Amino acid sequence: MTPPAPLAGRIALVVGGSGGIGSATAERLAALGASVTVTYRARAAEAEALVARLPGSGHAAEQASVEDSASLVRLAETLRARHGKLDILVNAAGFTKPIKHADLDALDDDLIDRMFAVNWRGSFAAVRATAVLLKESGDGLIVNVSSIAGTNGVGSNIAYCAVKAGIDVMTKSLARALAPAVRVMAVSPGVVDTDFVPGRDASFNEKVAATIPLKRIAGAGDVADAIVACATTLKYSTGSVILVDGGRAL
């Protein structure tokens, strides 16, 4: 007999689903039986193509911007109307811009404000919009995508490091606030082989890989596997930040 899919009947929302980590996560959740909604801000074609190739049924792509809290509230209303519940929220939306840490003037106020609006406030806003649905699940899960930049202070720019430190703290605070109905976890990658950071190429990845104990950078699938583990095997964990960095932080 074929064992039942471990996430059969579960409803998942991947915010930022058209990105590298988001799309890999959507694929894995769907393969395990979940019905997955992915959001996109402007990359409609990528999101629709992702949904079209997901196994199973009940999948959808919805436009929403994490900078626009009202759009997230409307998204939650859509999920309630379509599914009547939400079991899993993955916060994978974000952006960054490479700026040398010593170049303080290049990190101007507008960029700092947008970094926090998208990467921190956006994640919180997604939780705020869907919290009631997740609580009603009775076994809700939130997984925030963080970064080891939040602990080692080494990242694409100083604001990005601060934002990810904030994600880690938010994860712990929400884990206390939403327990026991909702668990809240974070996954913390090192360098990932996606186009998330503009300007990073194969030579950069090779240089970094040589410094990592496992001698390779992460693929989006490595991070997605950790997110799925939060939903399938780490059922007694909440408030934890899971490193997915090949040992780079050692």
Side-chain angles (χ1 to χ4, degrees):
M1 295 180 62
T2 301
L7 297 180
R10 305 280 277 173
I11 306 301
L13 170 63
V14 181
V15 179
S18 60
I21 291 172
S23 61
T25 300
E27 289 169 352
R28 280 159 171 74
L29 292 172
L32 294 176
S35 295
V36 182
T37 296
V38 299
T39 74
Y40 64 91
R41 186 176 68 89
R43 299 165 66 177
E46 290 91 335
E48 293 290 354
L50 168 63
V51 167
R53 68 175 181 266
L54 293 180
S57 61
H59 312 307
E62 298 287 345
Q63 198 280 333
S65 171
V66 294
E67 295 175 85
D68 178 8
S69 293
S71 74
L72 297 171
V73 172
R74 290 192 296 271
L75 175 63
E77 293 169 349
T78 297
L79 291 171
R80 181 179 291 281
R82 181 180 296 145
H83 300 291
K85 67 169 185 172
L86 177 64
D87 301 299
I88 301 167
L89 166 65
V90 179
N91 274 318
F95 89 103
T96 193
K97 179 180 179 180
I99 296 176
K100 292 181 179 179
H101 287 205
D103 191 355
L104 305 186
D105 291 334
L107 193 60
D108 59 40
D109 291 350
D110 288 343
L111 178 58
I112 292 170
D113 290 346
R114 186 156 187 262
M115 288 290 299
F116 275 86
V118 174
N119 296 292
W120 192 92
R121 192 190 74 196
S123 292
F124 180 81
V127 173
R128 184 175 58 199
T130 59
V132 172
L133 276 172
L134 288 163
K135 288 177 182 178
E136 290 173 354
S137 165
D139 186 25
L141 170 67
I142 298 164
V143 184
N144 298 314
V145 177
S146 184
S147 168
I148 64 170
T151 55
N152 66 14
V154 179
S156 50
N157 63 62
I158 291 175
Y160 181 78
C161 297
V163 162
K164 292 304 184 179
I167 290 291
D168 292 348
V169 172
M170 180 178 72
T171 297
K172 296 178 185 299
S173 297
L174 287 173
R176 287 192 297 269
L178 300 181
V182 182
R183 296 184 300 113
V184 188
M185 300 286 284
V187 296
S188 185
V191 176
V192 184
D193 188 14
T194 68
D195 60 359
F196 178 70
V197 182
R200 289 186 176 176
D201 56 15
S203 62
F204 174 89
N205 292 343
E206 291 173 4
K207 182 178 179 180
V208 172
T211 70
I212 296 174
L214 295 189
K215 299 304 179 186
R216 68 176 180 89
I217 64 171
D222 293 310
V223 186
D225 286 342
I227 294 170
V228 168
C230 294
T232 56
T233 57
L234 301 178
K235 302 301 287 286
Y236 193 61
S237 296
T238 192
S240 300
V241 179
I242 301 173
L243 291 178
V244 191
D245 68 344
R248 192 178 186 211
L250 297 174

